[in-house]
Amino acid sequence: MTSRVRSVTFDTHNPYELAGFWLQVLNAPRPDDDHPGDPYAAVVTDSMTLLFEQNDDEKAVKNRVHLDLEPDIPRDEEVARLLTLGATIATDFRNPDGTGWVVMHDPESNEFCVLRSATERAATS
């Protein structure tokens, strides 16, 4: 017998709003049963579910778990797109040779990384 990951859950002050950010990031539709003020909101994609749960506690430390995003477009274009959606750059690990990644924060300071696209990685193999 084994277990499987059903969802990755984020504590958040505003589930509907933060889910809205991630819906844009992952280009996913909002579930019909998500409404402003609800204690939960979800982002459902073909590969995973992100669940956003109401919690009024303040974030105290660095995330112990984070998402690594592999964009379909070049990494630098994706970073620029995410900045327009409300993300911020926490740490930039991009190298002059094109390798590396960018650590970003979502609107509630949850960390995630933007990696190079598969096309970019294949070009340097």
Side-chain angles (χ1 to χ4, degrees):
M1 177 135 330
T2 62
S3 296
R4 66 181 178 88
V5 175
R6 180 178 172 121
S7 62
V8 177
T9 302
F10 293 78
D11 290 340
T12 176
H13 293 283
N14 188 327
Y16 188 83
E17 187 176 295
L18 192 56
F21 168 82
W22 284 100
L23 287 165
Q24 292 179 81
V25 170
L26 300 172
N27 194 28
R30 186 177 295 274
D32 293 336
D33 60 350
D34 279 355
H35 304 286
D38 286 350
Y40 298 95
V43 174
V44 180
T45 71
D46 292 338
S47 62
M48 69 182 322
T49 297
L50 303 179
L51 181 63
F52 299 89
E53 177 179 70
Q54 177 74 44
N55 183 316
D56 293 328
D57 292 343
E58 293 300 321
K59 180 181 172 187
V61 296
K62 180 184 182 310
N63 294 33
R64 296 291 302 263
V65 174
H66 68 267
L67 303 177
D68 287 339
L69 304 181
E70 179 187 86
D72 293 331
I73 61 177
R75 178 201 53 220
D76 295 349
E77 289 178 31
E78 181 68 349
V79 168
R81 183 181 80 87
L82 297 172
L83 289 169
T84 68
L85 296 178
T88 56
I89 294 176
T91 310
D92 195 330
F93 292 104
R94 290 178 279 193
N95 298 310
D97 67 357
T99 60
W101 65 95
V102 179
V103 179
M104 301 189 81
H105 287 162
D106 73 11
E108 288 201 19
S109 297
N110 297 299
E111 296 172 7
F112 64 97
C113 294
V114 181
L115 311 176
R116 294 182 298 156
S117 68
T119 302
E120 289 173 300
R121 285 193 324 279
T124 59
S125 298

